[in-house]
């Protein structure tokens, strides 16, 4: 038999245990626990800041004044290797062709579009030069500049994928470029000449009739927003004849239907019966499920193709940053396009890029108090984080600016309250029964949407570079 004679062994044998060990005592102790934690939970500023409007009947109709302006949208393309072709029906996004649906004619126009590759720094159009074709940007960024009142160069706009310039050249033989267009990056554009457009128009009576209707609408009196003008008289004396007027409305206003997010929560009756102390298992399961639904609700309000903010911003309210990273000038460009901007929304990484851009200019965003929480702001408008705004693989993202509220003709949230078994406003938890495996089921539902009452209520700065 071997006896351990090491000093440690002799000490252990010499000192007997004098009290209950902590390991044994823990068996009799009550453990202090946290409620279940969830990393997915965010601040959800969009849900907190949107004014929610009660939506009876599950739909909300946005009535607007009649507008004479026709579409000014983005055009999409098909790429086959180095060859780029415009999708024929996408030509209907041009104001000139909006509403024209003859696929054969659109295909003929698309086949006459000529591809042109350009390099960074190349001048694509010179101010004052004759314009004989429309230019459609398939890929790349270009800058439009003009000459200021005092001879200096001023920036007009930055255009990117899907945008176009020179559309007036298709109908006006005397058209000239009103600004200089310079490529910021290498890219590809497609051009359609006035001569090719005229040849297709001459052989297509339907296109000729469409152009006549377009020209007639373009010459109707309208204000700077494209709405039918209301005749008024001001500054007159005596018994002058006053103009008569009425306010016309859109005949086919847009309707927003409530969307839904749902899930079925299942809890075994043994868990609900036996393991409810100190926390109610069903309540904790429900709490986390509701949090997940609210996160998905905010994601849909940002990204849904039908009603999401990123997809419902008017194309005239979409801008590009001048140099890639966000600067104070870019934020001012986004801010000045609407009255009463209530908030900016940006991904947290984009907010960090905004801070770097401001610091490079020797500036720093202000701070404002919002519900007892200090948040960064620019010109007094809070910049709120929203991680639902996507970041592309090129490390670019978007910044959203909006005016909110029905009374301000802004962006509103839509929901229906007073639901059966309502758990929170607009969210219900309905008992579905117990199956043969003794599992209780609950249907958890929330109904929501968002509406943009006027085009200028919502603006987006796209392709914002956020990488260092």
């Amino acid at each position: 038999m071997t006896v351990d004679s090491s000093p440690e062994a002799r000490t252990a044998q010499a000192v007997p245990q004098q009290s209950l060990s902590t390991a044994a005592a823990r068996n009799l102790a009550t453990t202090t626990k946290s409620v279940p934690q969830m990393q997915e939970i965010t601040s959800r500023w969009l849900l907190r800041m949107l004014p929610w409007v009660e939506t009876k009947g599950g739909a909300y109709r946005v009535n607007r004044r009649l507008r004479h302006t026709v579409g000014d949208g983005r055009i999409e393309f098909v790429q086959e290797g180095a060859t780029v072709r415009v999708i024929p029906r996408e030509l209907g996004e041009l104001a000139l062709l909006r509403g024209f649906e003859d696929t054969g004619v659109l295909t003929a126009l698309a086949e006459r579009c000529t591809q042109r590759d350009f390099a960074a720094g190349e001048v694509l159009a010179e101010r004052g030069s004759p314009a004989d074709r429309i230019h459609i940007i398939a890929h790349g960024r270009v800058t439009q500049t003009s000459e200021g009142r005092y001879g200096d160069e001023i920036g007009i706009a930055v255009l990117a994928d899907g945008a176009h310039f020179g559309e007036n050249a298709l109908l006006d033989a005397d058209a000239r470029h009103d600004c200089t267009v310079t490529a910021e990056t290498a890219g590809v554009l497609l051009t359609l000449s006035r001569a090719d457009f005229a040849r297709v128009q001459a052989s297509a009576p339907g296109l000729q009739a469409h152009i006549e209707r377009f020209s007639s609408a373009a010459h109707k009196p309208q204000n700077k927003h494209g709405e039918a003008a209301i005749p008024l008289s001001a500054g007159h004396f005596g018994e002058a004849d006053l103009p008569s007027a009425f306010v016309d409305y859109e005949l086919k206003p847009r309707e927003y239907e409530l969307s839904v997010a749902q899930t079925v929560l299942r809890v075994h009756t043994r868990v609900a019966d036996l393991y409810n102390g100190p926390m109610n298992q069903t309540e904790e399961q429900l709490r986390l499920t509701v949090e997940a639904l609210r996160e998905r609700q905010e994601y849909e309000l940002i990204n849904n193709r039908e009603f999401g903010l990123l997809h419902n911003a008017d194309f005239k309210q979409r801008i590009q940053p001048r140099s890639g990273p966000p600067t104070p000038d870019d934020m001012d460009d986004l801010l000045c396009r609407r009255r009463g901007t209530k908030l900016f929304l940006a991904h947290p990484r984009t907010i960090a890029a905004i801070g770097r851009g401001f610091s490079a200019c020797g500036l720093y965003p202000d701070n404002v108090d919002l519900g007892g929480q200090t948040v960064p702001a620019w010109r007094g408008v809070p910049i709120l984080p929203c991680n639902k705004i996507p970041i592309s693989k090129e490390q670019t993202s978007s910044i959203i600016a909006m005016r909110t509220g029905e009374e301000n003709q802004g962006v509103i949230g839509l929901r229906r309250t007073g639901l059966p078994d309502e758990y929170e406003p607009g969210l219900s938890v309905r008992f579905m029964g117990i199956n043969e495996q003794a599992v209780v089921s609950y249907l958890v539902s929330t109904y929501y949407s968002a509406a943009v009452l006027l085009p200028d209520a919502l603006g987006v700065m796209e392709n914002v570079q956020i990488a260092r």
Side-chain angles (χ1 to χ4, degrees):
M1 178 177 176
T2 303
V3 179
D4 188 354
S5 59
S6 64
E8 292 80 2
R10 291 196 300 270
T11 302
Q13 296 171 5
V15 182
Q17 181 175 337
Q18 300 181 30
S19 64
L20 182 67
S21 68
T22 55
R26 193 175 293 120
N27 292 329
L28 300 182
T30 300
T31 303
T32 302
K33 311 173 188 67
S34 74
V35 297
Q37 306 298 301
M38 184 175 178
Q39 190 170 349
E40 186 183 10
I41 298 175
T42 64
S43 55
R44 297 198 293 265
W45 277 107
L46 178 59
L47 299 188
R48 294 160 61 181
M49 296 298 292
L50 272 184
W52 292 94
V53 174
E54 184 70 15
T55 307
K56 302 293 184 182
Y60 185 94
R61 179 180 298 158
V62 179
N63 291 306
R64 294 176 177 170
R65 280 178 59 183
L66 178 66
R67 301 181 70 196
H68 291 314
T69 54
V70 202
D72 193 17
R74 297 263 170 96
I75 298 174
E76 296 183 2
F77 306 85
V78 173
Q79 183 176 1
E80 298 174 353
T83 303
V84 178
R85 294 182 293 105
V86 64
I87 300 173
R89 292 189 66 86
E90 287 293 314
L91 290 175
E93 292 297 327
L94 298 174
L96 178 62
L97 298 175
R98 175 62 64 87
F100 184 71
E101 298 181 352
D102 190 327
T103 305
V105 176
L106 294 177
T107 301
L109 291 173
E111 291 174 347
R112 286 167 170 76
C113 290
T114 304
Q115 181 175 336
R116 174 186 173 185
D117 298 338
F118 57 85
E122 183 177 346
V123 177
L124 305 178
E126 194 76 44
R127 178 175 178 267
S129 62
D132 65 346
R133 65 191 62 234
I134 183 175
H135 299 75
I136 308 171
I137 304 170
H139 178 66
R141 284 165 51 96
V142 304
T143 303
Q144 292 180 313
T145 59
S146 186
E147 184 177 344
R149 185 180 184 90
Y150 302 101
D152 54 334
E153 185 179 272
I154 57 174
I156 303 298
V158 178
L159 306 180
D161 303 6
H164 58 273
F165 60 92
E167 184 177 2
N168 59 331
L170 295 180
L171 297 180
D172 185 2
D174 298 323
R176 292 185 176 274
H177 292 289
D178 56 1
C179 58
T180 299
V181 182
T182 308
E184 281 194 355
T185 66
V188 179
L189 57 79
L190 298 178
T191 63
L192 176 64
S193 68
R194 181 168 58 243
D196 285 337
F197 183 82
R199 279 192 284 270
V200 174
Q201 181 181 354
S203 59
L207 180 58
Q208 296 174 18
H210 178 83
I211 296 300
E212 290 178 2
R213 290 193 297 270
F214 173 84
S215 300
S216 175
H219 288 90
K220 290 183 178 179
Q222 53 189 275
N223 61 23
K224 65 179 181 179
H225 305 291
E227 298 170 331
I230 300 176
L232 301 171
S233 179
H236 52 275
F237 296 94
E239 299 177 352
D241 292 334
L242 299 181
S244 60
F246 68 96
V247 182
D248 206 353
Y249 304 133
E250 290 183 351
L251 296 179
K252 296 180 179 179
R254 178 172 178 179
E255 289 191 355
Y256 294 86
E257 294 188 2
L258 292 184
S259 183
V260 61
Q262 291 178 308
T263 190
V264 176
L265 173 64
R266 293 188 172 96
V267 181
H268 200 286
T269 52
R270 179 180 297 179
V271 172
D273 293 342
L274 302 181
Y275 302 100
N276 268 343
M279 299 171 198
N280 187 300
Q281 294 283 359
T282 303
E283 285 295 329
E284 291 303 320
Q285 288 281 302
L286 181 58
R287 179 180 66 84
L288 297 180
T289 301
V290 169
E291 293 284 359
L293 277 178
R294 292 303 191 193
E295 292 291 332
R296 184 54 184 260
Q297 177 182 351
E298 186 175 64
Y299 175 87
E300 293 292 321
L301 290 173
I302 294 288
N303 297 288
N304 188 282
R305 297 192 65 85
E306 294 297 324
F307 58 85
L309 301 182
L310 288 178
H311 296 282
N312 279 270
D314 190 90
F315 287 112
K316 292 182 179 180
Q317 296 296 324
R318 300 172 187 248
I319 66 172
Q320 306 290 325
R322 286 176 167 81
S323 59
T327 66
D329 290 339
D330 294 327
M331 297 295 286
D332 282 341
D333 284 346
L334 184 59
L335 184 64
C336 72
R337 290 175 174 262
R338 72 203 47 78
R339 58 178 171 82
T341 301
K342 185 72 173 180
L343 58 97
F344 294 107
L345 276 180
H347 193 281
R349 290 183 57 192
T350 307
I351 295 178
I354 292 173
R356 291 194 298 270
F358 281 32
S359 297
C361 298
L363 299 173
Y364 193 79
D366 304 325
N367 288 319
V368 298
D369 182 85
L370 204 60
Q373 185 172 347
T374 300
V375 297
W378 178 243
R379 309 288 190 192
V381 179
I383 306 173
L384 304 178
C386 179
N387 67 347
K388 314 303 188 303
I389 300 176
I391 296 177
S392 71
K393 61 181 180 180
E394 293 85 10
Q395 297 300 295
T396 61
S397 188
S398 301
I399 301 174
I400 299 174
M402 69 178 82
R403 180 177 69 244
T404 60
E406 271 190 314
E407 66 283 355
N408 294 323
Q409 301 177 321
V411 181
I412 58 174
L414 307 177
R415 70 181 179 189
R416 174 68 187 274
T417 60
L419 300 170
D421 301 314
E422 192 167 58
Y423 182 78
E424 291 180 356
L427 186 145
S428 66
V429 180
R430 308 184 76 172
F431 176 70
M432 297 177 63
I434 305 174
N435 65 14
E436 295 179 353
Q437 287 77 38
V439 176
V440 185
S441 297
Y442 300 91
L443 175 64
V444 188
S445 308
T446 181
Y447 301 93
Y448 57 88
S449 187
V452 182
L453 301 187
L454 282 182
D456 72 340
L458 176 66
V460 178
M461 186 191 304
E462 302 175 316
N463 301 315
V464 177
Q465 185 69 44
I466 64 174
R468 289 183 179 273

